[in-house]
Amino acid sequence: MDPTPSPAPQKKKEGWLGVGFTAVLCGIFLFWWYQPTRVDTTTERDPTYWVGLARQELGTTEPPLSLRLEIILITEALRAHRQEIVADALETDWLPPAWLSSPTETRPDAPPTTLPAPLTAALEEAASALDSLDIEHGQLVLRTAATTAASLPAESRQTALWLVTARQARHGFPTEASQTRQQLNAQSATEELPPWLLAELFDAEIIAPVVASYQNQPPTSPPVIDLAQRWRQLARDRSAVREQNLLCLDGPAADASRPAPAAARALHQAVTSNQWEEVRRLSARNPAAQLAVARLLTWLAPAPAP
């Protein structure tokens, strides 16, 4: 008698527990495989790492004026730390060749003699009072100068208001400087500034409106090359002081006549507190913020031993 063949054993269905366990393992593997390369703390404290991130983010896009000015701040600080080779390499990558020459010594630009006599007299009186440490009188006279500037005809009103704003900011009266600046029309923030006024604003660390007034010009135009030369000299002068001035804290966005943006304050706090996860979050996909991190790292680093 032929034996009846026994049925093949059926494969046991996999339970939900097994499926879930397999999915978890796959998820762990995929997370490990695709997660970005972790960066150690030593790398995060290297300013060239952040410059590289900014360059990678820009790709083939030409850097705007503000980022090129940031590079000058970074490279001048690197030179102060005796890292000339690194500084030269960064500038060759980021800056037009016409920007690479050292600034020439120039005499300070003086305000034109065409300013109205009452305004000139008020500014001279304020300067004399502040030089002799009569702070209250100097502050009061600068307020008078602001009122005089605001009453001038349209053709000279804007430059006069900028001049008074710069003097108030330079002498440590940010509230008055802000009030004077509020009387400027919106268009004046994007007009090209005459060299004497540019020098006044640079000296007062009112940088942002200067950058705005030149940002649409070609980087190789004579006015922009002159701006870059002046900026490099300012960077050298400020870096020699080794203090947390506005140029160090805010770079090309510095503006002594207005409060610092909240984002800039938050980034500065994160860098100085070594909160690198927060630094990465605040600077993600933002070349300006990434270069700001590099600037803070170079400018706030201890001075090299003599």
Side-chain angles (χ1 to χ4, degrees):
M1 184 174 68
D2 295 328
T4 303
S6 57
Q10 294 184 350
K11 188 178 289 186
K12 186 178 180 181
K13 292 185 178 180
E14 188 174 3
W16 285 110
L17 181 62
V19 172
F21 182 72
T22 303
V24 169
L25 286 178
C26 289
I28 293 173
F29 171 78
L30 290 173
F31 174 79
W32 171 81
W33 183 260
Y34 286 106
Q35 70 175 336
T37 304
R38 296 190 64 83
V39 178
D40 59 31
T41 305
T42 302
T43 301
E44 287 176 323
R45 290 175 178 168
D46 183 350
T48 60
Y49 165 72
W50 297 96
V51 176
L53 288 182
R55 171 50 83 186
Q56 182 179 354
E57 195 66 41
L58 283 173
T60 58
T61 304
E62 281 292 310
L65 175 61
S66 59
L67 297 194
R68 284 180 162 138
L69 296 179
E70 279 279 27
I71 289 296
I72 290 179
L73 287 179
I74 294 165
T75 55
E76 287 302 328
L78 287 171
R79 289 189 178 97
H81 286 80
R82 302 169 189 159
Q83 299 185 44
E84 291 84 359
I85 295 177
V86 177
D88 291 344
L90 291 180
E91 289 194 350
T92 301
D93 182 37
W94 283 81
L95 305 183
W99 286 35
L100 300 182
S101 59
S102 297
T104 56
E105 293 293 333
T106 57
R107 296 173 60 184
D109 296 285
T113 56
T114 55
L115 288 175
L119 178 61
T120 302
L123 293 175
E124 290 177 353
E125 182 182 351
S128 177
L130 292 166
D131 286 344
S132 61
L133 300 182
D134 190 352
I135 306 300
E136 291 185 4
H137 181 63
Q139 184 178 19
L140 178 61
V141 176
L142 283 176
R143 289 178 191 163
T144 302
T147 302
T148 301
S151 64
L152 294 175
E155 59 270 17
S156 56
R157 180 174 183 269
Q158 299 305 310
T159 53
L161 284 170
W162 272 127
L163 175 57
V164 177
T165 299
R167 295 290 177 89
Q168 289 173 321
R170 179 160 62 90
H171 289 294
F173 307 129
T175 301
E176 279 101 337
S178 178
Q179 293 170 349
T180 303
R181 181 173 174 178
Q182 288 172 11
Q183 301 177 74
L184 290 155
N185 61 38
Q187 183 182 2
S188 68
T190 57
E191 293 176 346
E192 183 180 334
L193 303 170
W196 69 266
L197 185 54
L198 188 155
E200 288 274 355
L201 293 172
F202 267 27
D203 193 39
E205 294 189 325
I206 300 178
I207 309 299
V210 176
V211 177
S213 70
Y214 284 85
Q215 64 183 353
N216 294 324
Q217 293 198 34
T220 54
S221 65
V224 176
I225 293 174
D226 178 68
L227 173 72
Q229 293 278 315
R230 291 172 180 270
W231 178 255
R232 188 183 295 278
Q233 188 59 57
L234 181 66
R236 291 180 179 180
D237 294 342
R238 292 293 191 272
S239 64
V241 178
R242 307 299 308 173
E243 64 182 19
Q244 293 192 28
N245 47 56
L246 279 183
L247 207 64
C248 161
L249 300 180
D250 297 330
D255 191 342
S257 65
R258 288 185 173 175
R265 295 197 302 269
L267 187 62
H268 173 257
Q269 175 64 29
V271 171
T272 54
S273 302
N274 291 317
Q275 299 173 353
W276 295 108
E277 184 175 347
E278 179 70 358
V279 172
R280 290 193 299 273
R281 185 187 71 81
L282 292 171
S283 62
R285 306 301 302 272
N286 186 343
Q290 290 161 345
L291 289 186
V293 175
R295 182 219 321 134
L296 289 168
L297 287 172
T298 52
W299 279 63
L300 299 178

